[in-house]
């Protein structure tokens, strides 16, 4: 994650190029605010408690880790002075931090800020929903079991500007996590506010290009203001960014067409309508991302615990029709649990997802047959279930399509849709209070584990509450396998095993359609980076 939950989940332009484009621009131009939209509310401004994509979208503007990703998705130094090579057989990383990095309140960014953050996140008393972001750190598992203290985590300050991280095993994705997920907190404010840290914009500070302002914890609009204490402030051209939550695609399109916002996201039929408008079409950008939309079946429920039902539910969905006629945004069917474009299989040179095979065919006749078996196994009669989703236009459209397909191809099943704000949906999922839940997952690491780790035993995002011992053995073996070909063979088998179980229903690989004003430059999107970084934006 950049593993995060959301509708889908980062874009930049190199500083040198931007500086050249901006030569001679006036201060008045730079002070003109950029107005943008967000598809959902923020969950939190606390890096230790964030799980949703949109809170991380915000933090991409305000908070820097040891590294960050540049315009091309490449990992580059941020709070660390360089991208370091690990020692101790790839398990120990020693970082030297910048001495000119400061928080927006004037405090220096120190190694202890990272230590405080990492320990705080794994501390069970913090109740961080995604503590296992640090699962590869030494002593993580023992801390979660209560046999060791958070202070035993494999991170320590060797000095004010020297940080050391020790892992229990090599982690191929470590640099990407250090660029997107291993974020610091201001230790002084954490001590002052405790659990209320990051609950509104006055209880958090920034060490990145912008400072979060005018957010009270629930508002559907807020502001990013240029951080005057940011070490790279000279490369930040736009001083203010106004953000508003817009969940309706037609509203987003109208705001853009009227010039009230300069960047927004659209989906569904709005994309088709926009493509037919010559002026708007020129400002439309489509990106096929590695974010995925999947369904969790709650295996603790009567229906969710039945494999014939789960398999029938997958076979009953025509994913090609779903992506082409419902989404209409360039998204493609997800054939297994890993998106295309994540990685290549070194054993055959194919895309890893293609190499794994297609486990999501549409077969209505077989779906009906398996559904009849499931009903017989469950005692016969009719059944009801609730399909949980968030309240964006796109998500509700997908839910309605699945509802119709399931009721058509599984007669005797009544599906009720429950849509709500993303934060509420996530909370329900963590509590296990759902039958079936459709949601998005974004991983920005070029490795199959960015998706497969999601379903391992002990992963807090494994909402199905289902553990398959064979799958876990394969994944654990892959964790310690240093031979790339053998490692990918294990991951491929694990992906196939997971796809066969049917506990997690792959739906589609997300595409993203943005409208970006022709008056604005520097905003770019890529497969792994689907949130614009406004640090690179400028008025043309």
């Amino acid at each position: 994650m950049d593993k995060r939950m959301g509708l889908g989940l980062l874009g930049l332009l190199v500083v040198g190029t931007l500086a050249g484009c901006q030569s001679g621009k006036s201060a008045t131009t730079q002070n003109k605010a950029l107005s943008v939209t967000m598809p959902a509310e923020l969950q939190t401004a606390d890096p230790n408690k964030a799980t949703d994509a949109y809170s991380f979208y915000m933090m991409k503007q305000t908070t820097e880790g040891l590294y960050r990703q540049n315009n091309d998705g490449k990992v580059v130094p941020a709070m660390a002075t360089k991208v370091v090579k690990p020692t101790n057989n790839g398990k120990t990383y020693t970082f030297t931090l910048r001495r000119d990095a400061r928080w927006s309140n004037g405090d220096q960014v120190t190694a202890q800020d990272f230590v405080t953050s990492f320990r705080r996140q794994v501390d069970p008393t913090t109740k961080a929903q995604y503590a296992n972001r640090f699962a590869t750190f030494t002593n993580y598992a023992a801390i979660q079991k209560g046999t060791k203290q958070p202070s035993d985590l494999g991170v320590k300050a060797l000095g004010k500007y020297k940080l050391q991280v020790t892992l229990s095993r090599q982690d191929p994705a470590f640099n990407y996590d250090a660029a997107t997920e291993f974020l610091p907190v201001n230790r002084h404010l954490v001590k002052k506010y405790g659990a209320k840290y990051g609950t509104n914009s006055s209880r958090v500070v920034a060490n990145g290009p912008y400072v979060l302002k005018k957010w009270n914890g629930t508002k559907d609009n807020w502001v990013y203001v240029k951080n005057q204490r940011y070490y790279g402030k000279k490369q930040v051209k736009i001083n203010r960014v106004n953000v508003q939550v817009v969940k309706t695609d037609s509203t987003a399109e109208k705001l853009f067409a009227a010039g009230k916002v300069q960047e927004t996201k659209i989906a569904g039929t709005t994309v088709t309508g926009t493509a037919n408008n010559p002026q708007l079409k020129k400002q439309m950008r489509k990106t096929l991302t590695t974010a995925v939309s999947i369904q969790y079946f709650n295996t603790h429920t009567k229906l969710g615990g039945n494999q014939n039902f789960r398999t029938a539910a997958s076979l009953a969905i025509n994913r090609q029709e779903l992506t082409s006629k419902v989404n209409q945004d360039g998204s493609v069917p997800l054939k297994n649990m890993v998106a295309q474009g994540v990685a290549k299989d070194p054993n055959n040179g194919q895309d890893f997802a293609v190499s794994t095979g297609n486990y999501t065919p549409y077969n209505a006749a077989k779906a009906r047959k398996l559904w009849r078996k499931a009903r017989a196994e469950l005692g016969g009669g009719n059944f009801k279930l609730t399909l949980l989703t968030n309240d964006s236009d796109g998500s509700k459209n997908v839910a309605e399509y699945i509802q119709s397909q399931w009721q058509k191809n599984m007669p005797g099943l009544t599906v009720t849709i429950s849509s709500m704000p993303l934060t509420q949906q996530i909370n329900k999922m963590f509590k296990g209070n759902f039958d079936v839940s459709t949601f998005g997952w974004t991983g920005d690491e070029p490795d199959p584990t960015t998706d497969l780790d999601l379903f391992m035993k002990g992963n807090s995002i494994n909402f199905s509450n289902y553990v398959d011992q064979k799958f876990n053995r394969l994944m654990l073996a892959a964790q310690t396998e240093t031979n790339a070909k053998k490692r990918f063979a294990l991951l491929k088998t694990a992906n196939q095993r997971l796809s066969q179980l049917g506990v997690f229903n792959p739906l589609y690989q997300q595409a993203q359609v943005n409208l970006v004003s022709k008056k604005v430059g520097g905003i770019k999107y890529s497969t792994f980076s689907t949130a614009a970084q406004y640090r690179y934006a400028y008025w043309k």
Side-chain angles (χ1 to χ4, degrees), residues 140-175:
Y140 167 80
I143 294 167
Q144 295 305 297
K145 292 177 182 177
T147 57
K148 286 187 179 291
Q149 298 299 311
S151 57
D152 294 316
L153 187 70
V155 60
K156 59 183 177 181
L158 303 180
K160 191 173 184 179
Y161 303 105
K162 189 79 71 174
L163 180 74
Q164 188 173 84
V165 168
T166 305
L167 307 181
S168 57
R169 57 179 172 82
Q170 292 184 26
D171 182 0
F174 179 85
N175 283 357

Side-chain angles (χ1 to χ4, degrees), residues 424-441:
Q424 292 180 27
Q425 182 193 9
I426 292 172
N427 287 336
K428 273 186 169 288
M429 292 169 72
F430 273 110
K431 293 176 182 178
N433 186 16
F434 69 97
D435 295 328
V436 184
S437 185
T438 302
F439 79 111
W441 179 256

Side-chain angles (χ1 to χ4, degrees), residues 198-216:
T199 53
N200 62 44
S201 57
S202 66
R203 294 176 181 147
V204 69
V205 286
N207 70 330
Y210 289 96
V211 182
L212 177 67
K213 296 287 187 181
K214 297 187 177 182
W215 180 66
N216 67 2

Side-chain angles (χ1 to χ4, degrees), residues 452-506:
L452 295 178
D453 280 351
L454 191 67
F455 313 104
M456 288 188 69
K457 179 181 180 180
N459 192 313
S460 57
I461 313 298
N462 187 349
F463 300 115
S464 69
N465 297 305
Y466 186 91
V467 175
D468 180 66
Q469 297 301 329
K470 183 176 180 180
F471 172 76
N472 273 278
R473 284 197 299 271
L474 289 164
M475 292 297 293
L476 290 171
Q479 286 180 358
T480 56
E481 180 57 66
T482 56
N483 180 285
K485 288 188 175 182
K486 292 181 179 179
R487 178 175 179 271
F488 269 76
L490 289 165
L491 293 174
K492 178 178 177 179
T493 304
N495 191 10
Q496 292 171 334
R497 171 69 178 178
L498 188 65
S499 300
Q500 290 168 341
L501 290 170
V503 178
F504 318 98
N505 192 13

